[in-house]
Amino acid sequence: MKIAVLFPVTEAHRRALSEAAPGAEFFFGAPPEEELPALNAVLGNPPASMLPRLSGLRLLQLCSAGVGGAYLAENALPDGCALCNASGAYGPGIAEHMLGMALSLVKRLHQYRDSQRAREWADHGEVASILGSRTLVVGLGDIGTEFGRRMAALGSSVSGVKRTPGQKPDWLTELGTLEDLDRLLPDADFVFLSLPDTPATRGLFDQERISRMKKGAVLLNAGRGTAVDTEALCDAAESGALRGACLDVTDPEPLPPGHRMWEIENILITPHVSGGFHLPYTHDRIVEICAGNLRRLAAGEPLYSLVNRKEGY
């Protein structure tokens, strides 16, 4: 087998991948152009321009949880090529990042940081608590589950919705489907979104749905920015209808320098960095998923995190 690894790895990662595919020829970094048609597996997210050259590909293992449109396009990959994502790697890292943002917002830590920089001994007033609150998780996959568990541990009553019904974990007060969203939404103090970018999710939180949120609620988005109507969210935050928002993703993305959202004090923004390779645990888990799928590919076994190309995740 010939395998290209397109994302950064440590020496320990190289050993783990090599042990998962004994005898394979590895290219760490961009492979030579002449080798592209001979590659059997690509680990990482190749640019769309590379895809037409990968005629011998049997496995495209993305290192992202989301799946870009280029990989789902008709004839983007050769017949018989499996497309897998890294779902299961990102939950703890993203959940902790978003929990930190939520606490920063409701405890006004961003305002106190501004006061510190201005050398002002200022009291910014009333704060909110997670204890005794209600949380709604929209998209109860790995990331949503990890966030919901942390909110429950801090004393929030957590409900969740997912695309298909399933068994309710003990820490969850109620589990529904997207059909239950509008019923559960008005009671939630924190609404956490972890949704893929699909036709069904784009614009899900439009002006009408945002208006159904509880006054003083916080919207958190760690999935894809396209799930939220950006201008409607800005209006709700500026008017005080929402306490604010915590966003690791935006629409558009990157957020243009002149966009009004940058200036809205009660919207906290990070530039899509809650995942990635910032947390060593996440990096290691991505490599574990890649190594596991290399073993399964060689053995002809079912692959982890196989993407349903029709659904987009």
Side-chain angles (χ1 to χ4, degrees):
M1 288 215 313
K2 293 192 175 188
I3 302 168
V5 182
L6 304 183
F7 62 96
V9 291
T10 65
E11 278 302 317
H13 293 156
R14 289 187 181 219
R15 287 195 299 272
L17 293 171
S18 298
E19 289 170 2
E25 182 179 1
F26 280 86
F27 300 94
F28 291 96
E33 282 287 324
E34 63 272 15
E35 293 287 355
L36 294 181
L39 292 176
N40 305 116
V42 168
L43 312 180
N45 295 44
S49 59
M50 184 185 289
L51 298 180
R53 302 288 311 281
L54 302 175
S55 55
L57 204 62
R58 296 168 54 199
L59 168 65
L60 174 53
Q61 170 65 64
L62 304 177
C63 58
S64 59
V67 182
Y71 307 124
L72 301 172
E74 189 175 358
N75 300 321
L77 301 175
D79 291 343
C81 177
L83 175 63
C84 298
N85 64 16
S87 177
Y90 291 96
I94 293 178
E96 289 180 3
H97 180 100
M98 299 306 295
L99 177 58
M101 292 186 80
L103 285 167
S104 292
L105 181 68
V106 302
K107 300 302 182 185
R108 299 182 181 271
L109 300 186
H110 59 301
Q111 293 174 288
Y112 286 110
R113 179 64 174 179
D114 290 344
S115 292
Q116 177 182 337
R117 286 177 171 166
R119 301 172 185 263
E120 296 176 348
W121 193 268
D123 186 329
H124 291 289
E126 181 180 304
V127 298
S129 178
I130 292 176
L131 180 66
S133 68
R134 291 175 179 264
T135 298
L136 173 61
V137 177
V138 185
L140 204 68
D142 171 54
I143 295 168
T145 294
E146 292 288 348
F147 182 81
R149 288 175 60 189
R150 283 159 175 75
M151 293 295 282
L154 291 174
S156 184
S157 175
V158 183
S159 56
V161 297
K162 58 191 300 187
R163 186 173 60 90
T164 56
Q167 185 173 357
K168 183 183 77 64
D170 292 341
W171 54 266
L172 202 66
T173 58
E174 182 175 355
L175 175 60
T177 66
L178 281 175
E179 293 180 356
D180 300 299
L181 175 59
D182 289 333
R183 175 176 60 82
L184 296 170
L185 190 60
D187 293 329
D189 300 290
F190 297 91
V191 179
F192 179 82
L193 309 183
S194 180
L195 297 167
D197 179 27
T198 69
T201 62
R202 287 175 202 139
L204 185 67
F205 274 72
D206 56 11
Q207 190 279 329
E208 181 181 359
R209 186 155 278 119
I210 290 173
S211 72
R212 295 175 186 169
M213 292 177 63
K214 182 178 183 179
K215 182 174 175 57
V218 175
L219 179 67
L220 304 102
N221 192 5
R224 288 294 180 266
T226 53
V228 178
D229 182 323
T230 301
E231 296 305 318
L233 177 59
C234 289
D235 290 343
E238 286 186 317
S239 70
L242 296 182
R243 180 178 294 271
C246 303
L247 310 175
D248 189 47
V249 291
T250 62
D251 183 30
E253 187 175 304
L255 193 65
H259 199 284
R260 64 186 282 212
M261 186 181 281
W262 290 114
E263 301 297 327
I264 301 176
E265 186 177 50
N266 56 339
I267 296 183
L268 303 188
I269 305 166
T270 54
H272 207 149
V273 294
S274 63
F277 304 115
H278 299 87
L279 182 67
Y281 169 85
T282 302
H283 201 173
D284 292 344
R285 281 289 297 131
I286 291 169
V287 172
E288 288 175 12
I289 291 169
C290 291
N293 270 345
L294 288 179
R295 292 191 191 94
R296 287 171 170 259
L297 181 68
E301 298 174 354
L303 300 175
Y304 296 122
S305 301
L306 189 64
V307 173
N308 182 323
R309 299 193 198 184
K310 180 178 290 188
E311 299 291 343
Y313 57 95

